[in-house]
Amino acid sequence: MTHGLEAMVIRHTYRVPCPKGSAGDGGVVARQFDATLASVGFKLSAQLLARLTALSEAAVVHIAERTLPAVREMVGDHVRHNAYFIDFPANVPDTEEFWTQCVTEALEDETSCETVRSQMANGELNLVGLPAYGRYQHTYEEMLAAQDELIASAGDRVTVLHLGRDLDDELTDLYLALAGSATPLGDEHLDDLKILAGRCALGPQPESIPVRENRAVVNAARLTAGADLLLDSVVDALRLACALAGGDVTLREPTRFRALPRPVRRALLAGLDSVVAANPAKLADVSAHREPFKRLGERLHPHEYPRWPHAADVFAVARGEKRARSFDSRVAELLDASDVPGAVRLLTSAPGRLLRSLDHLLRAAAGQEERDAVVDAVARVAPEVSGRVVLSVREHLYNRERESGRPRVFVNRRGSGWVAPDVRPPVPAADLDRLAALLDTEMRRRLPAPGRLLLDPDVLDVALPLSGRAAAAGLGVLPRGSVSAVDGGRLRFFAYWKQTEEQTDYDLSALLLGADYATDSWLSYTSITAVGGRHSGDVTEAPDGASEFIELTLDQVRATFIVPQVNIYAGEGFEETEESFFGFMSRDGEQKGRPFEPRTVRMRSELRGAGRVALPLVFWRGSGGRWHAKWLHLYLRGISSGNRVEENQMSVSKVVRAVVEREYLTVGYLVGLMSDRGTAVELWDGAAVPGEPVTYIGLERPEGLHPDSRILTLGNLRDLIPG
């Protein structure tokens, strides 16, 4: 268990909990450990190396044995990546040549010869069913022996591991950061929070837990530990019940409630009773979740506990025996009656909903006087709205005029994306500008004004993580909408999956689009060579895991956009496999090496979304021929089986265009606001390390900064968003 907790700390913070062990001279082994880490693209910080050097060799070996598996998994090197074509990317045949070879081998095989001849006679040859197709024809060891060693490059990725505090302190800090996050967490981080909350429920707690899903996970741990529950709405209790049942605390999927022990039933009913007794209007929240409340009531038996009558009212509303009008229905009634001022007055009692309803109110307003009333109401309530909502609305305003008449991209909580035409009537630009300035002022007021801000220039175009669900878990993953430069002359994509039970076939593909987003060509199992690109070959089953690769030589690519994608052709979905992930490597033109070389991996992300087509990111050629990536983290619905790049090219093109042309609020936006407050902003190249505490914002934690510095990197960038 301790090993898993240490790995969690490393994965989130890139810090190794302070190594312990007997004193000694572990310098030689520590340097060997550092060299081994370099082979997977990591290194020890000077401080961590010094700490290990002071320990015994046995202690260093023990720490290395616990750390290496964690970093290998972060980069995707914990599994064997075999390629169908043993020499990939060399000696990849043309598609027709490959099919001909498969047919020839099948005709020479006594067991398959008659079947193939019969199919050919009927004009219906099943190419995918040929013996040589889709199954590795060599072992992993044979593939390694056929490959040259990687030629090291100064451009290879180097991720620094830093010295952390004691494990208990690191776990407490991580718990406080996740539980108190101002933005929703992804599923993987919610799972981590559940583990941490079980350890930390009776220890230090964050000042507030603003995200409801996080609160549900923490409440489940507090209930088990006998601590007071944190409930301020009836839906908090419903989420807690879902957490206790192992269900979905986001309430996006139905939960099957189990029989609950009497003490748990009493705790939930007492919590519901206290919430409604303090504010009976909160019964109105039941209507939005009527069915799950009815199911929960069947397990809680509120009629057996007459001392909590307000809790019984919750389930009476769910069953329709008692009326409690929802807030949304009251707002809708006023808008249906064209009473925008009345709707605004009502919404001021729920500031967050007022900002979320902003566009609707402006469109429904009868004239400038009513639009002015909307703007004035926003000015009054903005200080009461969470920073995440303020920033989300600010981003909406930024794109509102730009999107007029253009397709809009929609993304739900599970990452499913789709595009629809924008049919909204326009809103006067002057009103949009007034609101944008108002929200800028509010954000500027909330942001800290550090005396000296050091900035990694590469972080300026990183989109603000307004939701943890805007990015998958993994290494080097940026939030949806982020832009990053692409170095190196060659891109190599990889996808790995391991089926759980059912035979599963994933297809790594790349769609190449022109400047007008029209299809230029593609790489997939149906087109294994294209201009500037090679596919490693199709693998159609993965009982022991399977990998597919695509390599592109960028100066030979004639397209403007490169869209890697993973299609589920058959079998288990992304959330059903034992494991599945995507990533890309970047290499210089002369580098050789195996199909998978961990030190060249720039990004690895989990594939864990709804839909049958995964779109992790898009690459595009900008001015001067420089390539960039924009992060998508999207899943298209696709079809139940047989998804192929040539079949989904139109839908992919539309989604890519909508995201590429949308502007996202970035770190640069907040830095600009801080600069307006008088903060000295310095683009820092890592030289001339300051001796005093500073605030640093960058992609990775640098070495040598003052210990009292505030450091914000990808792992805790959400802390940059004001509450």
Side-chain angles (χ1 to χ4, degrees):
M1 181 63 177
T2 300
H3 188 191
L5 294 173
E6 290 174 346
M8 184 191 299
V9 170
I10 294 171
R11 175 162 41 87
H12 279 273
T13 68
Y14 296 94
R15 292 195 297 270
V16 177
C18 187
K20 298 184 182 300
S22 57
D25 184 7
V28 173
V29 179
R31 288 189 291 273
Q32 291 173 343
F33 176 29
D34 196 33
T36 303
L37 283 171
S39 68
V40 289
F42 292 83
K43 72 181 294 289
L44 302 171
S45 70
Q47 192 178 16
L48 179 52
L49 180 59
R51 171 63 183 169
L52 292 173
T53 299
L55 298 178
S56 68
E57 291 187 350
V60 177
V61 169
H62 179 68
I63 293 161
E65 289 175 343
R66 298 165 75 90
T67 303
L68 279 169
V71 299
R72 287 188 185 278
E73 184 170 357
M74 288 168 63
V75 79
D77 193 44
H78 60 299
V79 298
R80 292 184 163 193
H81 294 277
N82 200 354
Y84 180 85
F85 295 123
I86 193 169
D87 295 327
F88 175 82
N91 301 319
V92 174
D94 291 335
T95 307
E96 293 78 5
E97 177 187 348
F98 171 64
W99 288 117
T100 301
Q101 179 182 339
C102 288
V103 173
T104 300
E105 292 180 6
L107 291 173
E108 294 173 350
D109 186 334
E110 294 182 359
T111 60
S112 61
C113 178
E114 291 187 12
T115 301
V116 172
R117 290 184 182 277
S118 175
Q119 290 180 356
M120 293 175 68
N122 294 327
E124 297 179 353
L125 180 60
N126 179 15
L127 296 173
V128 177
L130 297 173
Y133 189 88
R135 297 164 186 82
Y136 290 117
Q137 304 298 300
H138 52 264
T139 66
Y140 175 74
E141 289 75 16
E142 289 170 339
M143 186 272 295
L144 292 184
Q147 297 286 343
D148 295 328
E149 290 294 321
L150 178 69
I151 301 172
S153 167
D156 290 344
R157 179 187 52 81
V158 178
T159 302
V160 179
L161 297 178
H162 297 268
L163 175 63
R165 301 198 295 158
D166 288 343
L167 178 60
D168 286 342
D169 292 333
E170 289 287 349
L171 293 173
T172 298
D173 289 347
L174 184 55
Y175 166 70
L176 294 174
L178 293 179
S181 171
T183 61
L185 303 175
D187 291 339
E188 298 84 357
H189 288 179
L190 266 181
D191 290 341
D192 290 341
L193 177 58
K194 180 178 180 180
I195 295 170
L196 293 168
R199 290 179 55 92
C200 303
L202 298 179
Q205 299 297 307
E207 292 183 6
S208 66
I209 304 179
V211 177
R212 301 288 179 171
E213 295 94 325
N214 299 358
R215 190 179 302 176
V217 171
V218 171
N219 272 329
R222 293 175 69 88
L223 181 60
T224 301
D228 293 337
L229 298 179
L230 308 173
L231 304 176
D232 66 10
S233 76
V234 294
V235 181
D236 278 347
L238 177 61
R239 293 184 193 274
L240 169 56
C242 291
L244 295 171
D248 180 12
V249 296
T250 70
L251 305 183
R252 65 194 181 202
E253 298 290 341
T255 293
R256 182 182 295 275
F257 296 112
R258 304 188 297 259
L260 297 169
R262 188 173 293 272
V264 173
R265 288 158 52 193
R266 287 198 295 262
L268 285 169
L269 288 169
L272 282 169
D273 191 81
S274 64
V275 167
V276 177
N279 186 354
K282 293 195 173 183
L283 281 173
D285 295 335
V286 174
S287 300
H289 306 284
R290 178 171 282 121
E291 285 304 315
F293 268 115
K294 285 197 290 187
R295 302 288 81 79
L296 178 59
E298 294 168 358
R299 295 298 187 182
L300 294 183
H301 312 299
H303 60 279
E304 297 179 6
Y305 301 91
R307 56 180 160 159
W308 293 312
H310 300 292
D313 289 343
V314 170
F315 302 102
V317 171
R319 293 190 299 270
E321 299 167 0
K322 185 171 183 176
R323 191 180 180 199
R325 290 191 62 194
S326 71
F327 187 87
D328 289 342
S329 69
R330 294 163 62 194
V331 173
E333 182 178 292
L334 290 167
L335 290 175
D336 288 345
S338 300
D339 186 1
V340 171
V344 170
R345 286 192 296 271
L346 177 59
L347 283 164
T348 53
S349 64
R353 294 194 187 186
L354 173 62
L355 260 69
R356 292 188 181 97
S357 305
L358 194 53
D359 198 291
H360 190 177
L361 293 170
L362 291 171
R363 285 183 277 119
Q368 190 60 49
E369 183 177 349
E370 290 190 353
R371 288 195 294 273
D372 288 344
V374 173
V375 176
D376 291 343
V378 171
R380 292 195 304 273
V381 305
E384 304 174 45
V385 181
S386 73
R388 181 173 67 91
V389 172
V390 172
L391 290 169
S392 296
V393 174
R394 180 63 182 88
E395 184 174 281
H396 168 81
L397 294 173
Y398 193 90
N399 286 279
R400 181 60 168 92
E401 191 172 3
R402 292 168 49 86
E403 289 177 340
S404 182
R406 293 184 178 183
R408 299 172 63 197
V409 62
F410 297 87
V411 186
N412 67 17
R413 290 185 171 188
R414 301 186 67 188
S416 294
W418 65 96
V419 171
D422 186 1
V423 296
R424 298 170 299 177
V427 174
D431 294 317
L432 296 176
D433 291 342
R434 290 165 61 204
L435 285 164
L438 188 158
L439 297 183
D440 287 345
T441 299
E442 177 58 29
M443 275 293 102
R444 192 179 294 112
R445 180 187 68 82
R446 297 190 196 189
L447 286 168
R452 186 178 181 187
L453 174 61
L454 300 186
L455 200 66
D456 172 4
D458 291 337
V459 82
L460 287 172
D461 291 326
V462 173
L464 295 176
L466 301 180
S467 171
R469 304 186 189 95
L475 174 84
V477 178
L478 304 182
R480 180 182 301 118
S482 298
V483 175
S484 57
V486 176
D487 297 318
R490 291 186 291 153
L491 277 180
R492 184 175 296 179
F493 310 133
F494 60 90
Y496 173 88
W497 72 100
K498 184 178 182 182
Q499 64 199 45
T500 302
E501 295 178 348
E502 183 181 354
Q503 180 175 334
T504 299
D505 179 5
Y506 287 4
D507 291 323
L508 176 65
S509 307
L511 182 64
L512 307 182
L513 304 174
D516 59 352
Y517 300 93
T519 299
D520 180 85
S521 59
W522 61 77
L523 282 154
S524 71
Y525 76 96
T526 62
S527 178
I528 56 180
T529 59
V531 176
R534 298 287 184 272
H535 192 288
S536 68
D538 189 21
V539 184
T540 60
E541 59 183 15
D544 301 312
S547 301
E548 292 185 8
F549 303 87
I550 288 176
E551 177 164 287
L552 289 149
T553 303
L554 293 178
D555 62 5
Q556 297 178 13
V557 174
R558 65 192 180 201
T560 302
F561 299 96
I562 302 170
V563 191
Q565 57 182 266
V566 182
N567 290 272
I568 301 178
Y569 186 83
E572 299 164 347
F574 295 120
E575 296 178 337
E576 298 169 329
T577 55
E578 181 175 321
E579 185 174 16
S580 57
F581 56 83
F582 166 89
F584 77 89
M585 296 169 268
S586 176
R587 304 192 187 193
D588 292 333
E590 299 304 317
Q591 285 186 284
K592 303 295 184 181
R594 300 169 296 175
F596 182 86
E597 289 286 0
R599 76 178 78 174
T600 67
V601 172
R602 306 294 172 172
M603 164 270 197
R604 184 197 77 93
S605 68
E606 299 291 333
L607 292 174
R608 282 292 185 267
R612 309 285 286 184
V613 181
L615 301 176
L617 71 175
V618 56
F619 298 85
W620 90 92
R621 192 201 315 267
S623 59
R626 182 75 185 273
W627 285 88
H628 298 80
K630 192 160 189 175
W631 301 71
L632 303 177
H633 303 299
L634 294 176
Y635 293 85
L636 305 188
R637 178 181 298 175
I639 55 179
S640 59
S641 64
N643 291 284
R644 298 189 301 167
V645 61
E646 52 265 53
E647 301 295 335
N648 63 38
Q649 55 182 301
M650 293 299 295
S651 57
V652 168
S653 173
K654 290 179 181 178
V655 168
V656 167
R657 179 170 192 165
V659 174
V660 166
E661 296 183 352
R662 179 178 173 81
E663 294 291 337
Y664 292 79
L665 286 188
T666 64
V667 172
Y669 164 76
L670 290 186
V671 169
L673 295 182
M674 286 190 277
S675 178
D676 293 343
R677 294 194 60 185
T679 297
V681 179
E682 178 181 341
L683 296 180
W684 190 51
D685 60 3
V689 178
E692 74 278 5
V694 298
T695 295
Y696 173 81
I697 307 176
L699 297 180
E700 295 184 353
R701 181 188 182 97
E703 292 195 71
L705 291 182
H706 191 282
D708 293 332
S709 295
R710 186 188 185 200
I711 299 175
L712 296 162
T713 60
L714 291 180
N716 64 342
L717 196 59
R718 57 181 175 270
D719 295 343
L720 186 61
I721 297 172

